[in-house]
């Protein structure tokens, strides 16, 4: 049996091969999170508008994408976008795909957050002469964001894990960086084991932070 050897994973190797991939994974996660929450909030408001011509398209969009594996959506966008907008490259394709896909999950979270706000808050806004838009933006949405913040951050941790799927279209993410290092040094098994540990440490640490935040929010309530 071949003995495992991790000695080649020096600081120079990590900065040369892995740092670029880690930076892209972080950029993709943050960008897709921001874009997904914004688009997801719009979708949530459409589904709660009570107007079928807004509610129906949003429901079809959300239910359709949530029913398809993310890796298939990534491949579809990677193969189809060049025919529509010209070649964008794997990095830009990944950003567009993740934003549109993750928006469906963020929209359901935001919809639950909006519905968790007491109807009395809405009626109070109307009583003060606020319009529907003002009531939602100034009264309901801030409370919904606060209520759903731990869940939104938990979904973002899942999003960070899912960024490894851009490997399918050749984007240089964290996993790709370790894979390249493993091939260069002839140690693929060690690199795959090590990158699993890296993902675990990052995601577990973020989960602990989210748990602490959740307790603080519960105390504030």
């Amino acid at each position: 049996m071949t003995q495992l050897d991790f000695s080649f994973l020096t600081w120079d190797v990590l900065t040369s091969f892995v740092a670029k991939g880690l930076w892209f994974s972080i950029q993709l996660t943050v960008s897709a999170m921001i874009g997904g929450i914004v688009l997801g909030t719009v979708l949530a408001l459409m589904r709660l508008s009570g107007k079928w011509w807004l509610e129906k398209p949003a429901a079809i969009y959300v239910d359709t994408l949530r029913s398809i594996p993310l890796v298939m959506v990534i491949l579809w966008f990677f193969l189809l976008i060049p025919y529509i907008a010209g070649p964008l490259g794997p990095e830009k394709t990944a950003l567009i795909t993740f934003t549109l896909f993750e928006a469906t999950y963020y929209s359901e979270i935001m919809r639950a957050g909006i519905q968790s706000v007491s109807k009395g808050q809405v009626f109070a806004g109307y009583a003060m002469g606020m319009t529907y838009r003002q009531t939602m933006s100034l009264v309901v949405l801030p409370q919904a964001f606060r209520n759903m913040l731990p869940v939104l951050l938990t979904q973002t941790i899942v999003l960070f894990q899912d960024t490894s799927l851009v490997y399918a279209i050749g984007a240089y993410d964290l996993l790709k960086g370790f894979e390249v290092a493993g091939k260069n040094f002839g140690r693929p098994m060690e690199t795959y084991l090590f990158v699993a540990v890296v993902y675990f440490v990052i995601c577990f640490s973020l989960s602990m932070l989210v748990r602490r935040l959740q307790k603080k929010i519960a105390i504030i309530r």
Side-chain angles (χ1 to χ4, degrees), residues 46 118 128 145:
M46 289 173 65
S118 170
M128 294 176 64
F145 273 114

Side-chain angles (χ1 to χ4, degrees), residues 35-208:
I37 289 176
V38 172
L39 179 56
T41 301
V42 173
L43 290 170
L45 291 173
M46 289 173 65
R47 296 193 70 175
L48 294 171
S49 65
K51 300 175 181 177
W52 70 267
W53 50 275
L54 289 175
E55 184 178 344
K56 201 68 175 177
I60 292 173
Y61 175 83
V62 170
D63 294 339
T64 300
L65 281 188
R66 281 168 59 92
S67 302
I68 303 173
L70 175 55
V71 67
M72 291 183 64
V73 179
I74 294 172
L75 289 171
W76 285 350
F77 273 83
F78 183 67
L79 296 173
L80 292 176
I81 284 181
Y83 291 100
I84 302 172
L88 294 178
E91 286 77 16
K92 289 183 179 178
T93 302
L95 176 58
I96 295 171
T97 304
F98 271 82
T99 300
L100 296 178
F101 186 86
E102 292 298 325
T104 61
Y105 288 88
Y106 285 123
S107 72
E108 291 300 275
I109 295 171
M110 286 307 304
R111 186 157 71 105
I114 292 170
Q115 290 177 324
S116 71
V117 177
S118 170
K119 292 287 186 182
Q121 300 282 334
V122 179
F123 297 145
Y126 290 154
M128 294 176 64
M130 291 184 179
T131 63
Y132 173 79
R133 179 179 298 181
Q134 290 173 327
T135 302
M136 292 302 297
S137 60
L138 299 177
V139 178
V140 178
L141 286 180
Q143 295 183 68
F145 273 114
R146 188 193 66 186
N147 294 343
M148 293 294 105
L149 186 57
V151 186
L152 290 170
L153 293 178
T154 299
Q155 179 59 34
T156 302
I157 295 173
V158 176
L159 166 59
F160 175 75
Q161 296 172 342
D162 288 343
T163 58
S164 61
L165 295 176
V166 301
Y167 173 90
I169 58 175
Y172 200 100
D173 68 317
L174 178 60
L175 178 59
K176 183 70 172 180
F178 272 102
E179 187 211 21
V180 171
K183 286 182 176 179
N184 274 270
F185 290 90
R187 292 287 180 177
M189 186 178 296
E190 286 87 341
T191 51
Y192 282 125
L193 287 173
F194 193 77
V195 71
V197 173
V198 171
Y199 273 107
F200 172 78
V201 170
I202 292 174
C203 295
F204 183 78
S205 301
L206 292 175
S207 296
M208 291 299 100

